[in-house]
Amino acid sequence: MAKRIICIGDSNTYGYDPAAFGSAWDIQNLGENGREIPSSSFAVRVLLSQIRSRLPADGLCLMLGTNDLLCGASPAEAAERMRIFISDLLVCGLPLLLVAPPLMQSGTWVESDALIRSSGQLAPLYRDLAALCGVSFCDASGWDIPVVFDGVHFSEQGHRRFAEQLEPVFAQTFL
């Protein structure tokens, strides 16, 4: 039977083809365009309700932070939001995989080197956070994911490469 994994993320989660994982995974896609790390009690309640409606599940996969940086948060601020959000997600009692997003690249949405550097600073912060919270961690910042003209969104090839890289991580984390 396929393992059911609930994936929480932004537009890159929303846009990838869950069928790319094959029959081992039943991907429940909670990607949302423009989603930042939920920080208001209302946003957290809504997302927890969406998760509950997809139970039972075998795990949660969480990849957020890019939109936080695009909207002006520092990597440290994004990591602190993530710490609080993970504590909210742990009440679900499911194995959780925290994914550091792939690096942003120069493009129409990413016009400064500082923003690219900030995207690279999330991975070590998230690694420490995962260890602190007792959850699994995956660093996609080194995966060289092709993006489109804006420097943020995965190309079709990027979605394929991301899924290929994530599949063995899922196998190790959720089986």
Side-chain angles (χ1 to χ4, degrees):
M1 176 175 223
K3 295 283 187 171
R4 176 175 273 200
I5 307 300
I6 301 170
C7 295
I8 304 164
D10 55 23
S11 54
N12 280 319
T13 302
Y14 174 79
Y16 82 90
D17 181 2
F21 282 113
S23 62
W25 309 105
D26 172 9
I27 302 298
Q28 298 294 304
N29 192 335
L30 288 181
E32 184 177 291
N33 293 337
R35 177 176 276 154
E36 295 178 48
I37 300 163
S39 56
S40 73
S41 59
F42 175 76
V44 170
R45 278 195 317 272
V46 167
L47 198 48
L48 287 174
S49 175
Q50 292 173 328
I51 291 168
R52 284 187 200 104
S53 74
R54 285 158 175 82
L55 295 176
D58 298 293
L60 295 171
C61 177
L62 174 60
M63 184 177 77
L64 287 168
T66 300
N67 286 320
D68 299 77
L69 299 178
L70 287 169
C71 290
S74 71
E77 290 168 332
E80 177 59 15
R81 289 177 190 170
M82 185 62 77
R83 183 190 66 74
I84 295 166
F85 184 50
I86 287 173
S87 70
D88 292 325
L89 289 176
L90 289 176
V91 303
C92 296
L94 296 170
L96 191 146
L97 172 64
L98 174 61
V99 179
L103 295 178
M104 289 186 244
Q105 300 170 29
S106 183
T108 57
W109 287 20
V110 184
E111 296 179 338
S112 76
D113 289 338
L115 193 52
I116 295 169
R117 282 191 304 276
S118 288
S119 75
Q121 293 169 358
L122 277 182
L125 293 171
Y126 279 14
R127 180 183 313 278
D128 292 346
L129 180 59
L132 176 73
C133 296
V135 301
S136 297
F137 173 75
C138 172
D139 183 0
S141 70
W143 288 358
D144 190 30
I145 302 298
V147 297
V148 296
F149 67 93
D150 61 12
V152 175
H153 293 99
F154 302 171
S155 67
E156 181 178 345
Q157 179 186 5
H159 285 292
R160 191 173 297 110
R161 185 176 295 168
F162 185 83
E164 289 167 355
Q165 296 285 335
L166 193 58
E167 198 282 330
V169 176
F170 270 28
Q172 181 179 3
T173 304
F174 299 121
L175 286 183

